[in-house]
Amino acid sequence: MAIALMLGEEKRRALLVLESGREARVSPARVLFVVDPEFGLPAAGVVGRRQAGERIAERARRIRERAAEVEVALVWEIAVDAAGADGPIPPMESGELAALALGDESGEGRVALVWALEEDGIHFIRKGDTWEARGTEAVAELKLQRERIAAREAETKALFESLRAAVAGKQYAPTRGEVERRTLEALERLAVEAEAAPEPVRATALEALQASGLRWDRPHEAAFRLLRRVGRFESDDENLQLRRFGLRTSFP
C-alpha cells in the first residue's frame, strides 16, 4: 500500500505523485480509497511535485500513526463474538471496521484500518471490498506458524553469530537446534563432496560461509576450514575421501 496524489487519468491509467515526488501511472483498479478529495493539485514543475510529495508524506505519516492505534485482535474478537458460537462470521466493510476500531469512517480512517489489517495479516482476510474475520482455529494456526518462523530466524541469527565468533578465534557456542544441525550437515557435505554436493545443500552451506565472514576461494575448502574451527573435524589432515565413500578405518 502507498499514499499518493492522483493528478488525473492518462491513457486509461491513473497519473499519481508518490511520497518521493516521483510520478507513477497505475491501473485505476489499484486505487483502493479516496482519502481526501479536496487535497488540491500541486503547482506545475519540479518544485510543485516536491512540495506535493512532502504533503503526501505528512499525510502518510499521520495515517501510519492512526493505524498503530488499531487493536486488530480486539476488533477481531468483537467480530467473532457478534457472529455467535456456531454462526458464520459475515464479512464487514472497511468503513464498519474503521468505525469499530477508530470511531472514524472517513477515507483516512478506512485507510488506517486497512493498513493495520494488512500489517497484521492474521485475523482478517480480504474478500474483494470487504474483510472477513478468520476462524479461531485458523488464527491460532497462523500465530503458531509465525512463532515457528520467528524461532527459526532467531536460531539462525544465533548460529551465524557463533560461526563469526569461531572465525574470529573465539570459542564456538553450539545452538543445538535444528537449524544448526541442518547447516553443519550441509557444510560437511560441501566439504566432502565438493562440486558433487546437491544445489540445495550448497545453497545452505554458502549462506553459512558468507555469514561467517570467512574469506575463501574454493567453497568446499572454506567449508572444511569452518568446520575445523567449530570442532566438526579433528585434524587438518582429515581424509575426506573416507567420509565421502563411507570407508572404514579399522579391520578385523
Side-chain angles (χ1 to χ4, degrees):
M1 291 181 64
I3 308 298
L5 173 63
M6 184 171 174
L7 302 179
E9 289 194 29
E10 186 177 281
K11 297 180 180 179
R12 297 184 180 179
R13 309 282 284 181
L15 177 59
L16 309 176
V17 176
L18 306 178
E19 289 184 57
S20 62
R22 183 174 60 85
E23 288 188 1
R25 291 165 176 78
V26 303
S27 166
R30 292 180 60 188
V31 178
L32 291 177
F33 299 107
V34 176
V35 180
D36 183 358
E38 305 299 330
F39 191 74
L41 297 177
V46 175
V47 174
R49 292 290 189 271
R50 186 177 68 247
Q51 291 174 342
E54 291 171 355
R55 290 179 63 201
I56 298 162
E58 172 60 27
R59 180 61 62 88
R61 181 192 62 77
R62 195 165 75 198
I63 288 172
R64 292 187 188 105
E65 288 178 351
R66 298 202 67 190
E69 299 172 7
V70 177
E71 297 182 45
V72 177
L74 178 59
V75 175
W76 173 79
E77 287 179 5
I78 294 173
V80 171
D81 289 344
D86 302 319
I89 305 174
M92 301 177 69
E93 295 182 352
S94 58
E96 294 179 76
L97 291 171
L100 189 62
L102 296 168
D104 180 7
E105 296 184 56
S106 69
E108 186 172 297
R110 286 183 294 151
V111 173
L113 180 279
V114 170
W115 204 297
L117 298 187
E118 290 281 5
E119 285 194 342
D120 172 76
I122 291 179
H123 295 86
F124 289 85
I125 184 170
R126 187 178 173 191
K127 297 285 188 179
D129 294 330
T130 62
W131 291 84
E132 184 179 292
R134 284 191 169 99
T136 304
E137 292 183 3
V139 169
E141 179 61 28
L142 284 172
K143 285 183 176 179
L144 183 60
Q145 288 178 12
R146 287 209 178 170
E147 289 171 1
R148 287 171 178 166
I149 291 171
R152 187 162 61 246
E153 289 175 348
E155 186 185 343
T156 300
K157 181 180 178 181
L159 171 63
F160 288 170
E161 288 176 353
S162 294
L163 292 177
R164 282 193 292 271
V167 169
K170 299 177 183 178
Q171 181 70 31
Y172 173 71
T175 61
R176 307 191 188 284
E178 177 61 22
V179 174
E180 180 188 52
R181 182 194 66 76
R182 183 169 49 83
T183 300
L184 295 185
E185 285 182 357
L187 284 166
E188 183 170 335
R189 288 195 63 180
L190 178 60
V192 171
E193 301 175 22
E195 300 300 325
E199 187 55 37
V201 170
R202 288 177 60 83
T204 299
L206 288 174
E207 182 183 15
L209 285 174
Q210 291 167 353
S212 72
L214 189 68
R215 295 183 179 181
W216 42 275
D217 294 320
R218 298 179 179 177
H220 64 280
E221 293 179 356
F224 176 80
R225 287 164 47 208
L226 183 57
L227 290 173
R228 275 287 289 132
R229 298 195 181 210
V230 303
R232 189 86 168 191
F233 291 125
E234 297 179 357
S235 168
D236 289 338
D237 299 319
E238 186 91 20
N239 190 335
L240 299 180
Q241 299 307 311
L242 296 178
R243 288 178 178 255
R244 180 173 184 177
F245 296 108
L247 302 177
R248 61 183 179 177
T249 56
S250 60
F251 301 88

